[in-house]
Amino acid sequence: MKTVRTIAELPESEGTVGLVPTMGAFHAGHLALFTAARQENDVVVASLFVNPAQFGADEDLDRYPHDEERDADLAEQAGVDILFAPRADEMYPDGYATWVDVGELGKRLEGEFRPDHFRGVATVCLKLFNMVEPDRAYFGQKDAQQAAVVKQLVRDLNLGLEIRVVPTVRDKDGLALSSRNAYLSPEEREAALALPRALATKDVERARELLRGLEVDYVEEADFNGRRVLAAAVRVGKTRLIDNVILEGETT
Ligand code: AMP
């Protein structure tokens, strides 16, 4: 595996290219995306970029977990060919001014609590798609609204790549894997288990009841590109967690 830091160093790839955009701190959820990309493409590119544009001013950008050496080892073991780990000024040089407006989909649910989040996500994804020119890009069902926003971006801007959505990977206790789980104390982690338990009911009213002890941003049914999900965001201490379960529709 080769680690690349500049856009100029990204190679022209022969054959099909699969891209997995990430913010690092890899866990088995990321590895499932790498594995899917490895199975379906000649070349696998993973990007590792903690995108400042998708964090709000009072969010966890400064404390987001970071261990590039460990991530590089895990990515290599999972069959990634190129790890693209640019610095922020490579992605957003002085004078950077253009942003993708993702419309109504970016304003609901997550968008209500993280106002410019999906604008940052869509912009960085469009930039990565233009730089890497993948045939397919891989996203997790864990971030269902993000996957829907990216699908909309591809459709609306005629990007001509395929978006593949990989099922959510969970720990044995049911908690969806997330880089942010590292913030949780043992007590907080125990409290956080209410989230997967509530969603597992697949019933919005019962889920609301089971989440009563936590600080809940939302628990709602949503339709993302014809896929109905029950989605929720909660705060456990200083940590914000999101999760969802599919109610109906295809799983990929
Ligand atoms: P992140 O590094 O958190 O931005 O995540 C990078 C990609 O991994 C996104 O497409 C996420 O949806 C996906 N992902 C994160 N957690 C999981 C999980 N537990 N299962 C499957 N995919 C995940």
Side-chain angles (χ1 to χ4, degrees):
M1 190 186 75
K2 191 173 174 213
T3 298
V4 166
R5 302 213 180 268
T6 63
I7 298 154
E9 281 175 285
L10 281 167
E12 290 272 326
S13 298
E14 289 191 12
T16 56
V17 177
L19 169 68
V20 184
T22 82
M23 300 202 301
F26 294 157
H27 50 64
H30 296 106
L31 303 188
L33 270 58
F34 299 152
T35 302
R38 182 69 281 163
Q39 283 166 355
E40 295 175 351
N41 302 278
D42 297 317
V43 177
V44 177
V45 180
S47 61
L48 196 177
F49 180 60
V50 182
N51 177 30
Q54 68 190 66
F55 286 77
D58 55 351
E59 293 183 357
D60 58 343
L61 175 63
D62 293 338
R63 65 168 185 147
Y64 199 82
H66 185 90
D67 187 346
E68 191 186 306
E69 215 171 300
R70 176 182 170 276
D71 284 350
D73 284 344
L74 289 171
E76 181 158 34
Q77 283 164 32
V80 171
D81 298 303
I82 295 165
L83 185 66
F84 177 49
R87 287 171 22 157
D89 58 2
E90 180 74 358
M91 297 296 278
Y92 301 108
D94 274 352
Y96 189 86
T98 304
W99 300 98
V100 179
D101 179 344
V102 297
E104 282 308 305
L105 180 56
K107 297 194 176 80
R108 296 159 42 209
L109 297 163
E110 280 297 285
E112 202 182 320
F113 293 88
R114 306 186 73 189
D116 285 331
H117 174 65
F118 288 118
R119 164 197 201 248
V121 167
T123 302
V124 83
C125 285
L126 178 57
K127 286 169 68 66
L128 290 167
F129 296 162
N130 285 334
M131 293 168 191
V132 175
E133 300 185 329
D135 297 278
R136 303 181 185 88
Y138 295 78
F139 292 85
Q141 175 63 27
K142 156 85 166 43
D143 299 281
Q145 192 174 2
Q146 169 173 275
V149 163
V150 174
K151 280 186 177 176
Q152 171 121 24
L153 168 78
V154 167
R155 198 172 51 230
D156 289 353
L157 299 185
N158 313 92
L159 298 183
L161 76 156
E162 188 186 349
I163 299 303
R164 307 279 288 144
V165 181
V166 174
T168 302
V169 179
R170 297 177 181 281
D171 252 330
K172 276 198 215 82
D173 59 11
L175 193 65
L177 294 180
S178 162
S179 306
R180 291 187 167 99
N181 293 353
Y183 302 148
L184 298 171
S185 70
E187 296 75 28
E188 287 175 337
R189 193 184 161 98
E190 195 52 47
L193 291 179
L195 177 58
R197 285 180 190 143
L199 294 175
T201 66
K202 299 196 172 187
D203 179 297
V204 68
E205 295 305 331
R206 283 174 63 203
R208 280 202 184 114
E209 275 166 36
L210 289 174
L211 288 175
R212 211 163 262 160
L214 295 181
E215 202 182 319
V216 177
D217 279 355
Y218 61 83
V219 194
E220 275 179 47
E221 280 190 25
D223 186 331
F224 295 136
N225 307 114
R227 177 181 287 179
R228 275 199 330 116
V229 302
L230 178 59
V234 301
R235 292 168 201 264
V236 185
K238 284 191 175 143
T239 307
R240 187 170 182 280
L241 300 174
I242 64 169
D243 196 359
N244 69 89
V245 290
I246 296 172
L247 298 175
E248 63 185 41
E250 300 157 40
T251 55
T252 55

